[in-house]
Short mmCIF file of all heavy atoms in Angstrom, two decimals:
data_model
loop_
_atom_site.label_atom_id
_atom_site.label_comp_id
_atom_site.label_asym_id
_atom_site.label_seq_id
_atom_site.Cartn_x
_atom_site.Cartn_y
_atom_site.Cartn_z
N ASN A 148 -38.02 208.32 74.67
CA ASN A 148 -36.61 208.10 74.85
C ASN A 148 -36.17 208.99 76.01
O ASN A 148 -36.28 210.20 75.88
CB ASN A 148 -35.88 208.44 73.56
CG ASN A 148 -34.64 207.62 73.36
OD1 ASN A 148 -34.32 206.79 74.16
ND2 ASN A 148 -33.96 207.90 72.28
N PRO A 149 -35.70 208.56 77.10
CA PRO A 149 -35.23 207.21 77.41
C PRO A 149 -36.38 206.23 77.63
O PRO A 149 -37.51 206.61 77.86
CB PRO A 149 -34.41 207.38 78.68
CG PRO A 149 -34.96 208.59 79.34
CD PRO A 149 -35.46 209.47 78.23
N THR A 150 -36.02 204.95 77.58
CA THR A 150 -36.98 203.87 77.76
C THR A 150 -36.48 202.92 78.85
O THR A 150 -35.29 202.91 79.15
CB THR A 150 -37.18 203.11 76.44
OG1 THR A 150 -38.06 202.01 76.67
CG2 THR A 150 -35.87 202.56 75.90
N ASN A 151 -37.39 202.14 79.40
CA ASN A 151 -37.00 201.12 80.37
C ASN A 151 -36.55 199.84 79.67
O ASN A 151 -36.23 198.86 80.30
CB ASN A 151 -38.15 200.83 81.33
CG ASN A 151 -39.35 200.22 80.64
OD1 ASN A 151 -39.39 200.06 79.43
ND2 ASN A 151 -40.36 199.91 81.42
N GLY A 152 -36.54 199.86 78.32
CA GLY A 152 -36.12 198.71 77.54
C GLY A 152 -37.23 198.09 76.73
O GLY A 152 -36.99 197.31 75.83
N ILE A 153 -38.48 198.44 77.04
CA ILE A 153 -39.63 197.93 76.29
C ILE A 153 -40.24 199.11 75.54
O ILE A 153 -40.61 200.11 76.15
CB ILE A 153 -40.66 197.28 77.22
CG1 ILE A 153 -40.03 196.12 77.98
CG2 ILE A 153 -41.88 196.82 76.42
CD1 ILE A 153 -40.91 195.54 79.06
N PHE A 154 -40.30 199.00 74.21
CA PHE A 154 -40.81 200.11 73.42
C PHE A 154 -41.43 199.60 72.12
O PHE A 154 -41.22 198.46 71.72
CB PHE A 154 -39.70 201.13 73.11
CG PHE A 154 -38.52 200.53 72.40
CD1 PHE A 154 -38.42 200.59 71.03
CD2 PHE A 154 -37.50 199.90 73.12
CE1 PHE A 154 -37.33 200.03 70.38
CE2 PHE A 154 -36.40 199.35 72.48
CZ PHE A 154 -36.33 199.41 71.10
N SER A 155 -42.22 200.46 71.48
CA SER A 155 -42.87 200.13 70.22
C SER A 155 -42.28 200.98 69.11
O SER A 155 -41.87 202.11 69.33
CB SER A 155 -44.37 200.39 70.31
OG SER A 155 -44.96 199.56 71.27
N ILE A 156 -42.28 200.41 67.91
CA ILE A 156 -41.85 201.12 66.72
C ILE A 156 -43.02 201.12 65.74
O ILE A 156 -43.62 200.08 65.50
CB ILE A 156 -40.63 200.45 66.06
CG1 ILE A 156 -39.44 200.48 67.02
CG2 ILE A 156 -40.29 201.12 64.74
CD1 ILE A 156 -38.24 199.73 66.51
N GLN A 157 -43.34 202.31 65.21
CA GLN A 157 -44.39 202.43 64.21
C GLN A 157 -43.85 203.22 63.03
O GLN A 157 -43.09 204.16 63.21
CB GLN A 157 -45.61 203.13 64.79
CG GLN A 157 -46.29 202.35 65.89
CD GLN A 157 -47.49 203.07 66.43
OE1 GLN A 157 -47.48 204.27 66.61
NE2 GLN A 157 -48.53 202.32 66.70
N SER A 158 -44.28 202.84 61.84
CA SER A 158 -43.83 203.49 60.63
C SER A 158 -44.98 203.58 59.65
O SER A 158 -45.87 202.73 59.66
CB SER A 158 -42.67 202.71 60.01
OG SER A 158 -42.32 203.24 58.75
N SER A 159 -44.96 204.59 58.80
CA SER A 159 -45.98 204.69 57.75
C SER A 159 -45.68 203.72 56.62
O SER A 159 -46.52 203.48 55.76
CB SER A 159 -46.05 206.12 57.22
OG SER A 159 -44.79 206.51 56.70
N GLU A 160 -44.47 203.15 56.61
CA GLU A 160 -44.07 202.17 55.60
C GLU A 160 -43.82 200.83 56.29
O GLU A 160 -43.58 200.78 57.48
CB GLU A 160 -42.77 202.62 54.92
CG GLU A 160 -42.84 203.99 54.32
CD GLU A 160 -41.48 204.60 54.13
OE1 GLU A 160 -40.47 203.88 54.18
OE2 GLU A 160 -41.41 205.82 53.95
N ASN A 161 -43.83 199.76 55.53
CA ASN A 161 -43.50 198.46 56.10
C ASN A 161 -42.02 198.41 56.46
O ASN A 161 -41.16 198.78 55.67
CB ASN A 161 -43.81 197.32 55.12
CG ASN A 161 -45.23 196.84 55.26
OD1 ASN A 161 -45.94 197.18 56.19
ND2 ASN A 161 -45.66 196.02 54.33
N ILE A 162 -41.75 197.93 57.66
CA ILE A 162 -40.38 197.76 58.14
C ILE A 162 -39.93 196.37 57.72
O ILE A 162 -40.62 195.39 57.97
CB ILE A 162 -40.33 197.90 59.67
CG1 ILE A 162 -40.84 199.28 60.10
CG2 ILE A 162 -38.92 197.65 60.19
CD1 ILE A 162 -41.13 199.40 61.58
N SER A 163 -38.75 196.28 57.09
CA SER A 163 -38.27 194.97 56.65
C SER A 163 -37.26 194.37 57.61
O SER A 163 -37.13 193.16 57.70
CB SER A 163 -37.68 195.06 55.25
OG SER A 163 -36.59 195.96 55.22
N ALA A 164 -36.52 195.22 58.34
CA ALA A 164 -35.52 194.70 59.28
C ALA A 164 -35.21 195.76 60.34
O ALA A 164 -35.26 196.96 60.07
CB ALA A 164 -34.24 194.32 58.56
N ILE A 165 -34.89 195.28 61.53
CA ILE A 165 -34.48 196.14 62.64
C ILE A 165 -33.22 195.55 63.24
O ILE A 165 -33.12 194.35 63.44
CB ILE A 165 -35.58 196.23 63.71
CG1 ILE A 165 -36.81 196.94 63.14
CG2 ILE A 165 -35.07 196.95 64.96
CD1 ILE A 165 -37.98 196.96 64.07
N GLU A 166 -32.26 196.43 63.52
CA GLU A 166 -31.03 196.00 64.18
C GLU A 166 -30.69 197.03 65.25
O GLU A 166 -30.79 198.23 65.01
CB GLU A 166 -29.90 195.90 63.16
CG GLU A 166 -28.60 195.40 63.75
CD GLU A 166 -27.53 195.26 62.69
OE1 GLU A 166 -27.52 194.23 62.00
OE2 GLU A 166 -26.74 196.20 62.55
N ILE A 167 -30.29 196.55 66.42
CA ILE A 167 -29.91 197.44 67.52
C ILE A 167 -28.51 197.03 67.97
O ILE A 167 -28.25 195.85 68.22
CB ILE A 167 -30.91 197.37 68.69
CG1 ILE A 167 -32.31 197.75 68.19
CG2 ILE A 167 -30.46 198.27 69.84
CD1 ILE A 167 -33.41 197.55 69.19
N VAL A 168 -27.61 198.02 68.05
CA VAL A 168 -26.23 197.78 68.49
C VAL A 168 -25.92 198.68 69.68
O VAL A 168 -26.50 199.74 69.86
CB VAL A 168 -25.21 198.02 67.36
CG1 VAL A 168 -25.43 197.06 66.21
CG2 VAL A 168 -25.25 199.45 66.87
N ASN A 169 -24.97 198.22 70.51
CA ASN A 169 -24.54 199.03 71.65
C ASN A 169 -23.42 199.98 71.22
O ASN A 169 -23.05 200.03 70.04
CB ASN A 169 -24.15 198.15 72.85
CG ASN A 169 -22.98 197.23 72.54
OD1 ASN A 169 -22.22 197.43 71.60
ND2 ASN A 169 -22.84 196.19 73.35
N LEU A 170 -22.87 200.71 72.16
CA LEU A 170 -21.85 201.72 71.84
C LEU A 170 -20.58 201.14 71.25
O LEU A 170 -19.87 201.83 70.51
CB LEU A 170 -21.49 202.54 73.09
CG LEU A 170 -22.42 203.68 73.42
CD1 LEU A 170 -22.00 204.35 74.73
CD2 LEU A 170 -22.48 204.70 72.31
N VAL A 171 -20.25 199.89 71.54
CA VAL A 171 -19.03 199.29 70.99
C VAL A 171 -19.31 198.51 69.71
O VAL A 171 -18.43 197.82 69.20
CB VAL A 171 -18.30 198.41 72.04
CG1 VAL A 171 -17.80 199.25 73.19
CG2 VAL A 171 -19.18 197.28 72.52
N GLY A 172 -20.55 198.61 69.18
CA GLY A 172 -20.87 197.99 67.91
C GLY A 172 -21.36 196.56 67.98
O GLY A 172 -21.55 195.93 66.95
N GLU A 173 -21.58 196.03 69.18
CA GLU A 173 -22.08 194.66 69.32
C GLU A 173 -23.59 194.64 69.06
O GLU A 173 -24.33 195.45 69.61
CB GLU A 173 -21.82 194.13 70.73
CG GLU A 173 -20.36 194.02 71.08
CD GLU A 173 -20.14 193.71 72.55
OE1 GLU A 173 -20.95 194.11 73.40
OE2 GLU A 173 -19.13 193.05 72.83
N LYS A 174 -24.03 193.71 68.23
CA LYS A 174 -25.45 193.58 67.92
C LYS A 174 -26.16 192.96 69.12
O LYS A 174 -25.81 191.88 69.56
CB LYS A 174 -25.62 192.70 66.69
CG LYS A 174 -27.02 192.69 66.14
CD LYS A 174 -27.18 191.73 64.97
CE LYS A 174 -26.19 191.98 63.87
NZ LYS A 174 -26.41 191.08 62.72
N VAL A 175 -27.15 193.67 69.66
CA VAL A 175 -27.90 193.16 70.80
C VAL A 175 -29.31 192.72 70.41
O VAL A 175 -29.98 192.03 71.17
CB VAL A 175 -27.97 194.19 71.96
CG1 VAL A 175 -26.58 194.50 72.49
CG2 VAL A 175 -28.68 195.45 71.53
N TYR A 176 -29.75 193.11 69.20
CA TYR A 176 -31.07 192.71 68.73
C TYR A 176 -31.09 192.78 67.21
O TYR A 176 -30.55 193.72 66.62
CB TYR A 176 -32.16 193.63 69.30
CG TYR A 176 -33.55 193.26 68.87
CD1 TYR A 176 -34.31 192.35 69.59
CD2 TYR A 176 -34.12 193.81 67.72
CE1 TYR A 176 -35.58 192.00 69.20
CE2 TYR A 176 -35.39 193.46 67.32
CZ TYR A 176 -36.12 192.56 68.06
OH TYR A 176 -37.38 192.20 67.67
N SER A 177 -31.74 191.82 66.58
CA SER A 177 -31.88 191.82 65.13
C SER A 177 -33.14 191.07 64.78
O SER A 177 -33.42 190.01 65.35
CB SER A 177 -30.67 191.16 64.49
OG SER A 177 -30.81 191.14 63.09
N SER A 178 -33.92 191.60 63.84
CA SER A 178 -35.14 190.94 63.43
C SER A 178 -35.48 191.33 62.01
O SER A 178 -35.37 192.48 61.63
CB SER A 178 -36.29 191.33 64.37
OG SER A 178 -37.49 190.72 63.97
N LYS A 179 -35.90 190.35 61.23
CA LYS A 179 -36.44 190.61 59.90
C LYS A 179 -37.95 190.46 60.01
O LYS A 179 -38.46 189.44 60.48
CB LYS A 179 -35.88 189.62 58.88
CG LYS A 179 -34.41 189.81 58.63
CD LYS A 179 -33.96 188.97 57.45
CE LYS A 179 -32.48 189.06 57.23
NZ LYS A 179 -31.98 190.33 56.83
N ILE A 180 -38.66 191.51 59.60
CA ILE A 180 -40.12 191.51 59.73
C ILE A 180 -40.72 192.10 58.46
O ILE A 180 -40.01 192.58 57.58
CB ILE A 180 -40.58 192.32 60.96
CG1 ILE A 180 -40.12 193.78 60.84
CG2 ILE A 180 -40.10 191.71 62.23
CD1 ILE A 180 -40.72 194.68 61.88
N ASN A 181 -42.03 192.10 58.39
CA ASN A 181 -42.74 192.77 57.31
C ASN A 181 -44.01 193.35 57.91
O ASN A 181 -45.09 192.80 57.77
CB ASN A 181 -43.05 191.79 56.18
CG ASN A 181 -43.63 192.51 54.97
OD1 ASN A 181 -43.51 193.72 54.85
ND2 ASN A 181 -44.29 191.76 54.10
N SER A 182 -43.83 194.46 58.61
CA SER A 182 -44.93 195.07 59.34
C SER A 182 -44.65 196.56 59.50
O SER A 182 -43.52 197.00 59.39
CB SER A 182 -45.08 194.41 60.72
OG SER A 182 -46.11 195.03 61.45
N SER A 183 -45.68 197.34 59.79
CA SER A 183 -45.49 198.76 60.02
C SER A 183 -45.35 199.09 61.51
O SER A 183 -45.13 200.23 61.87
CB SER A 183 -46.65 199.56 59.42
OG SER A 183 -47.86 199.18 60.04
N GLN A 184 -45.47 198.07 62.37
CA GLN A 184 -45.29 198.30 63.80
C GLN A 184 -44.85 197.02 64.49
O GLN A 184 -45.13 195.92 64.03
CB GLN A 184 -46.55 198.83 64.45
CG GLN A 184 -47.71 197.87 64.43
CD GLN A 184 -48.95 198.48 65.05
OE1 GLN A 184 -49.03 199.68 65.27
NE2 GLN A 184 -49.92 197.65 65.35
N MET A 185 -44.15 197.18 65.61
CA MET A 185 -43.74 196.03 66.42
C MET A 185 -43.31 196.52 67.79
O MET A 185 -43.01 197.69 67.99
CB MET A 185 -42.63 195.23 65.76
CG MET A 185 -41.27 195.85 65.78
SD MET A 185 -39.98 194.78 65.12
CE MET A 185 -40.04 193.38 66.18
N GLN A 186 -43.31 195.61 68.76
CA GLN A 186 -42.84 195.91 70.10
C GLN A 186 -41.54 195.15 70.34
O GLN A 186 -41.41 193.99 69.97
CB GLN A 186 -43.87 195.52 71.15
CG GLN A 186 -43.45 195.95 72.54
CD GLN A 186 -44.57 195.83 73.55
OE1 GLN A 186 -45.70 195.56 73.20
NE2 GLN A 186 -44.25 196.03 74.80
N ILE A 187 -40.58 195.83 70.97
CA ILE A 187 -39.26 195.25 71.24
C ILE A 187 -39.02 195.29 72.75
O ILE A 187 -39.33 196.29 73.40
CB ILE A 187 -38.16 196.03 70.50
CG1 ILE A 187 -38.39 195.90 68.98
CG2 ILE A 187 -36.77 195.53 70.89
CD1 ILE A 187 -37.44 196.70 68.15
N ASP A 188 -38.46 194.21 73.27
CA ASP A 188 -38.14 194.13 74.70
C ASP A 188 -36.63 193.97 74.86
O ASP A 188 -36.07 192.91 74.59
CB ASP A 188 -38.87 192.94 75.32
CG ASP A 188 -38.64 192.83 76.82
OD1 ASP A 188 -37.82 193.58 77.38
OD2 ASP A 188 -39.30 191.97 77.44
N LEU A 189 -35.98 195.03 75.30
CA LEU A 189 -34.54 195.01 75.60
C LEU A 189 -34.31 195.21 77.10
O LEU A 189 -33.24 195.68 77.51
CB LEU A 189 -33.81 196.11 74.82
CG LEU A 189 -33.78 195.99 73.31
CD1 LEU A 189 -33.04 197.18 72.70
CD2 LEU A 189 -33.13 194.70 72.88
N SER A 190 -35.30 194.86 77.91
CA SER A 190 -35.19 195.10 79.35
C SER A 190 -34.06 194.29 79.99
O SER A 190 -33.64 194.60 81.10
CB SER A 190 -36.52 194.81 80.04
OG SER A 190 -36.92 193.48 79.82
N ASN A 191 -33.55 193.27 79.28
CA ASN A 191 -32.44 192.49 79.82
C ASN A 191 -31.08 193.14 79.52
O ASN A 191 -30.06 192.66 79.99
CB ASN A 191 -32.47 191.07 79.24
CG ASN A 191 -32.31 191.05 77.73
OD1 ASN A 191 -32.63 192.02 77.06
ND2 ASN A 191 -31.84 189.94 77.21
N GLN A 192 -31.07 194.22 78.76
CA GLN A 192 -29.82 194.91 78.43
C GLN A 192 -29.49 195.95 79.52
O GLN A 192 -30.39 196.52 80.13
CB GLN A 192 -29.92 195.63 77.08
CG GLN A 192 -30.09 194.69 75.91
CD GLN A 192 -28.87 193.80 75.73
OE1 GLN A 192 -27.73 194.22 75.87
NE2 GLN A 192 -29.13 192.53 75.43
N PRO A 193 -28.21 196.21 79.76
CA PRO A 193 -27.85 197.21 80.77
C PRO A 193 -28.19 198.63 80.32
O PRO A 193 -28.37 198.89 79.13
CB PRO A 193 -26.34 197.03 80.92
CG PRO A 193 -25.89 196.36 79.68
CD PRO A 193 -27.05 195.57 79.17
N ASN A 194 -28.28 199.54 81.29
CA ASN A 194 -28.49 200.95 80.99
C ASN A 194 -27.40 201.44 80.04
O ASN A 194 -26.25 201.01 80.13
CB ASN A 194 -28.45 201.79 82.26
CG ASN A 194 -29.65 201.57 83.16
OD1 ASN A 194 -30.64 200.98 82.76
ND2 ASN A 194 -29.55 202.05 84.38
N GLY A 195 -27.78 202.32 79.15
CA GLY A 195 -26.78 202.88 78.25
C GLY A 195 -27.39 203.39 76.96
O GLY A 195 -28.61 203.46 76.80
N ILE A 196 -26.53 203.76 76.03
CA ILE A 196 -26.93 204.29 74.73
C ILE A 196 -26.78 203.18 73.69
O ILE A 196 -25.78 202.48 73.64
CB ILE A 196 -26.07 205.51 74.36
CG1 ILE A 196 -26.29 206.62 75.39
CG2 ILE A 196 -26.40 205.99 72.95
CD1 ILE A 196 -25.36 207.81 75.22
N TYR A 197 -27.79 203.06 72.84
CA TYR A 197 -27.83 202.07 71.78
C TYR A 197 -28.21 202.78 70.48
O TYR A 197 -28.75 203.88 70.50
CB TYR A 197 -28.86 200.98 72.10
CG TYR A 197 -28.51 200.19 73.34
CD1 TYR A 197 -28.78 200.68 74.62
CD2 TYR A 197 -27.86 198.97 73.25
CE1 TYR A 197 -28.44 199.98 75.75
CE2 TYR A 197 -27.51 198.24 74.37
CZ TYR A 197 -27.81 198.76 75.62
OH TYR A 197 -27.45 198.06 76.74
N PHE A 198 -27.93 202.14 69.37
CA PHE A 198 -28.29 202.69 68.07
C PHE A 198 -29.24 201.74 67.36
O PHE A 198 -28.97 200.55 67.23
CB PHE A 198 -27.03 202.96 67.24
CG PHE A 198 -26.15 203.98 67.87
CD1 PHE A 198 -25.05 203.61 68.62
CD2 PHE A 198 -26.45 205.33 67.76
CE1 PHE A 198 -24.25 204.55 69.24
CE2 PHE A 198 -25.66 206.28 68.37
CZ PHE A 198 -24.56 205.90 69.12
N LEU A 199 -30.36 202.29 66.92
CA LEU A 199 -31.43 201.55 66.29
C LEU A 199 -31.39 201.83 64.79
O LEU A 199 -31.41 202.99 64.37
CB LEU A 199 -32.75 202.02 66.90
CG LEU A 199 -34.06 201.56 66.32
CD1 LEU A 199 -34.24 200.07 66.51
CD2 LEU A 199 -35.21 202.31 66.99
N ASN A 200 -31.31 200.80 63.97
CA ASN A 200 -31.32 200.91 62.52
C ASN A 200 -32.59 200.24 62.01
O ASN A 200 -32.79 199.05 62.23
CB ASN A 200 -30.10 200.23 61.90
CG ASN A 200 -28.82 200.83 62.41
OD1 ASN A 200 -28.66 202.03 62.43
ND2 ASN A 200 -27.90 199.99 62.85
N ILE A 201 -33.43 201.02 61.34
CA ILE A 201 -34.70 200.53 60.81
C ILE A 201 -34.64 200.57 59.29
O ILE A 201 -34.41 201.64 58.72
CB ILE A 201 -35.88 201.39 61.31
CG1 ILE A 201 -35.89 201.44 62.84
CG2 ILE A 201 -37.20 200.87 60.77
CD1 ILE A 201 -36.85 202.46 63.40
N LYS A 202 -34.83 199.43 58.65
CA LYS A 202 -34.82 199.37 57.19
C LYS A 202 -36.24 199.24 56.67
O LYS A 202 -37.00 198.39 57.14
CB LYS A 202 -33.98 198.19 56.71
CG LYS A 202 -32.52 198.34 57.07
CD LYS A 202 -31.70 197.15 56.60
CE LYS A 202 -30.27 197.33 57.08
NZ LYS A 202 -29.43 196.19 56.79
N THR A 203 -36.58 200.09 55.69
CA THR A 203 -37.87 200.03 55.02
C THR A 203 -37.63 199.95 53.51
O THR A 203 -36.48 199.98 53.07
CB THR A 203 -38.73 201.28 55.33
OG1 THR A 203 -38.14 202.42 54.71
CG2 THR A 203 -38.88 201.51 56.82
N GLU A 204 -38.73 199.90 52.75
CA GLU A 204 -38.60 199.85 51.29
C GLU A 204 -37.95 201.12 50.75
O GLU A 204 -37.32 201.11 49.70
CB GLU A 204 -39.99 199.69 50.64
CG GLU A 204 -40.69 198.41 51.01
CD GLU A 204 -41.96 198.65 51.80
OE1 GLU A 204 -42.41 199.81 51.95
OE2 GLU A 204 -42.52 197.66 52.30
N LYS A 205 -38.09 202.23 51.46
CA LYS A 205 -37.58 203.52 50.97
C LYS A 205 -36.21 203.89 51.50
O LYS A 205 -35.67 204.92 51.15
CB LYS A 205 -38.58 204.62 51.30
CG LYS A 205 -39.87 204.48 50.56
CD LYS A 205 -40.75 205.68 50.75
CE LYS A 205 -42.01 205.55 49.92
NZ LYS A 205 -42.89 206.71 50.07
N GLY A 206 -35.63 203.08 52.40
CA GLY A 206 -34.31 203.40 52.92
C GLY A 206 -34.14 202.96 54.36
O GLY A 206 -34.91 202.16 54.88
N THR A 207 -33.12 203.53 54.99
CA THR A 207 -32.76 203.18 56.36
C THR A 207 -32.83 204.41 57.25
O THR A 207 -32.37 205.48 56.87
CB THR A 207 -31.34 202.59 56.41
OG1 THR A 207 -31.28 201.44 55.57
CG2 THR A 207 -30.95 202.18 57.82
N ALA A 208 -33.39 204.24 58.44
CA ALA A 208 -33.42 205.30 59.45
C ALA A 208 -32.56 204.85 60.62
O ALA A 208 -32.59 203.69 61.02
CB ALA A 208 -34.85 205.55 59.92
N ASN A 209 -31.77 205.77 61.15
CA ASN A 209 -30.90 205.50 62.30
C ASN A 209 -31.32 206.40 63.45
O ASN A 209 -31.42 207.61 63.27
CB ASN A 209 -29.43 205.76 61.94
CG ASN A 209 -28.98 204.87 60.81
OD1 ASN A 209 -29.06 203.67 60.91
ND2 ASN A 209 -28.52 205.47 59.73
N LYS A 210 -31.55 205.81 64.61
CA LYS A 210 -31.98 206.56 65.79
C LYS A 210 -31.15 206.15 67.00
O LYS A 210 -30.72 205.01 67.12
CB LYS A 210 -33.46 206.28 66.10
CG LYS A 210 -34.40 206.62 64.98
CD LYS A 210 -34.52 208.09 64.80
CE LYS A 210 -35.50 208.41 63.67
NZ LYS A 210 -35.55 209.81 63.36
N LYS A 211 -30.96 207.10 67.90
CA LYS A 211 -30.29 206.81 69.17
C LYS A 211 -31.35 206.40 70.17
O LYS A 211 -32.43 206.97 70.23
CB LYS A 211 -29.54 208.04 69.66
CG LYS A 211 -28.76 207.78 70.95
CD LYS A 211 -27.79 208.90 71.28
CE LYS A 211 -28.47 210.19 71.57
NZ LYS A 211 -27.56 211.20 72.12
N LEU A 212 -31.03 205.39 70.98
CA LEU A 212 -31.94 204.85 71.97
C LEU A 212 -31.24 204.84 73.32
O LEU A 212 -30.11 204.35 73.42
CB LEU A 212 -32.35 203.43 71.55
CG LEU A 212 -33.22 202.62 72.48
CD1 LEU A 212 -34.61 203.25 72.54
CD2 LEU A 212 -33.33 201.20 71.99
N ILE A 213 -31.89 205.36 74.34
CA ILE A 213 -31.32 205.37 75.68
C ILE A 213 -32.14 204.43 76.57
O ILE A 213 -33.35 204.61 76.68
CB ILE A 213 -31.30 206.78 76.28
CG1 ILE A 213 -30.47 207.71 75.40
CG2 ILE A 213 -30.79 206.77 77.72
CD1 ILE A 213 -30.58 209.18 75.76
N ILE A 214 -31.48 203.45 77.16
CA ILE A 214 -32.13 202.54 78.10
C ILE A 214 -31.75 202.96 79.50
O ILE A 214 -30.56 203.08 79.82
CB ILE A 214 -31.75 201.07 77.84
CG1 ILE A 214 -32.27 200.64 76.47
CG2 ILE A 214 -32.31 200.18 78.95
CD1 ILE A 214 -31.94 199.22 76.11
N ASN A 215 -32.74 203.21 80.32
CA ASN A 215 -32.54 203.62 81.70
C ASN A 215 -33.60 202.95 82.55
O ASN A 215 -34.73 203.37 82.60
CB ASN A 215 -32.62 205.15 81.82
CG ASN A 215 -32.23 205.64 83.19
OD1 ASN A 215 -31.70 204.90 83.99
ND2 ASN A 215 -32.48 206.91 83.45
N HIS A 216 -33.23 201.86 83.23
CA HIS A 216 -34.18 201.09 84.05
C HIS A 216 -34.55 201.85 85.29
O HIS A 216 -33.83 202.44 85.95
CB HIS A 216 -33.59 199.73 84.48
CG HIS A 216 -33.21 198.89 83.31
ND1 HIS A 216 -34.11 198.14 82.62
CD2 HIS A 216 -32.02 198.70 82.71
CE1 HIS A 216 -33.48 197.49 81.65
NE2 HIS A 216 -32.21 197.82 81.68
#
């Protein structure tokens, strides 16, 4: 972090859903999955700060993501 918009997510638990929103709360990415890792491509989004919400069987993790092309 920062990223150019393409990044991987890995977890020791299965991820059930991922949601990414921008600073004004608009959803820019959403996916329901059942995996412990995945690659996301947000290279079409403008530079800025985003919030990543990762849901697993044990709860939700929230992370800040910075895109800088």
Side-chain angles (χ1 to χ4, degrees):
N148 210 1
T150 176
N151 65 357
I153 300 172
F154 57 95
S155 297
I156 297 175
Q157 295 180 320
S158 173
S159 59
E160 305 159 15
N161 272 350
I162 301 166
S163 60
I165 294 175
E166 183 177 278
I167 301 172
V168 297
N169 61 19
L170 278 176
V171 295
E173 297 171 330
K174 190 184 306 183
V175 297
Y176 181 89
S177 179
S178 179
K179 292 190 184 294
I180 60 170
N181 187 17
S182 178
S183 61
Q184 65 182 14
M185 74 175 299
Q186 185 168 353
I187 297 175
D188 183 353
L189 295 178
S190 58
N191 62 335
Q192 295 296 320
N194 290 347
I196 298 173
Y197 297 81
F198 297 99
L199 172 66
N200 301 311
I201 304 169
K202 295 180 184 175
T203 69
E204 297 115 8
K205 293 189 177 180
T207 301
N209 300 303
K210 302 289 181 186
K211 182 168 65 169
L212 176 68
I213 300 170
I214 295 179
N215 188 11
H216 301 278

